[in-house]
Amino acid sequence: MKKSLLNLMLSGLTILGTGALALTTPVTVNAQEVATALQLEARNAYAYDVTVAQDAEKATVSYRLSSPASEVKIQMFVNGEMVKEVPGTTLAEYTDETKTALNNLNTVEIAKADFPQGKMISFKVAVTSEAL
């Protein structure tokens, strides 16, 4: 049976009477195990809080992912027809061992030179979930 990260970290500690802790055995924590423990569970991933900010040179598409994704594509539509697709980022993880805070804000920049002039432009975020 695999120990949880917290149990693994506490297994080599002794609690002293005053609430202090003393290290009684060496504790080795694998960085990969820590990273895995902070990943969100694989579920049917989707993007939310999708926003587009523009300046003179680029549009920045920002979005949050509900869970890990194997692939994200930002699709640009002009008058309802997809004209460009760029790879997105797939960041979706917890920031602490208590799994209460998320780090899932992703951003992708698209050069305005790729935009047709005088046309209605919209963006969609297409997400492929990690295998369940």
Side-chain angles (χ1 to χ4, degrees):
M1 176 180 284
K2 188 172 182 176
K3 293 182 179 181
S4 73
L5 181 61
L6 182 58
N7 286 339
L8 177 67
M9 293 173 72
L10 294 179
S11 64
L13 299 176
T14 301
I15 299 176
L16 304 177
T18 60
L21 300 176
L23 187 60
T24 56
T25 59
V27 176
T28 303
V29 177
N30 182 316
Q32 181 62 36
E33 289 178 5
V34 172
T36 301
L38 295 178
Q39 290 178 343
L40 291 168
E41 294 81 15
R43 297 186 180 168
N44 187 16
Y46 58 89
Y48 64 98
D49 287 345
V50 179
T51 61
V52 180
Q54 298 184 54
D55 63 23
E57 298 167 2
K58 67 185 178 305
T60 302
V61 179
S62 300
Y63 55 93
R64 294 184 180 276
L65 291 175
S66 63
S67 59
S70 60
E71 182 178 50
V72 174
K73 293 181 180 179
I74 310 302
Q75 301 170 333
M76 183 170 71
F77 289 79
V78 175
N79 295 331
E81 182 179 329
M82 187 171 70
V83 295
K84 184 172 182 75
E85 188 172 70
V86 297
T89 54
T90 59
L91 180 64
E93 64 187 7
Y94 293 109
T95 59
D96 60 3
E97 289 81 22
T98 62
K99 297 185 177 182
T100 56
L102 294 176
N103 181 19
N104 64 346
L105 179 61
N106 295 267
T107 59
V108 175
E109 294 181 352
I110 301 172
K112 277 200 166 175
D114 296 338
F115 291 18
Q117 297 298 314
K119 303 285 184 175
M120 172 67 88
I121 299 171
S122 61
F123 295 92
K124 290 186 181 178
V125 179
V127 178
T128 302
S129 296
E130 286 283 348
L132 299 177

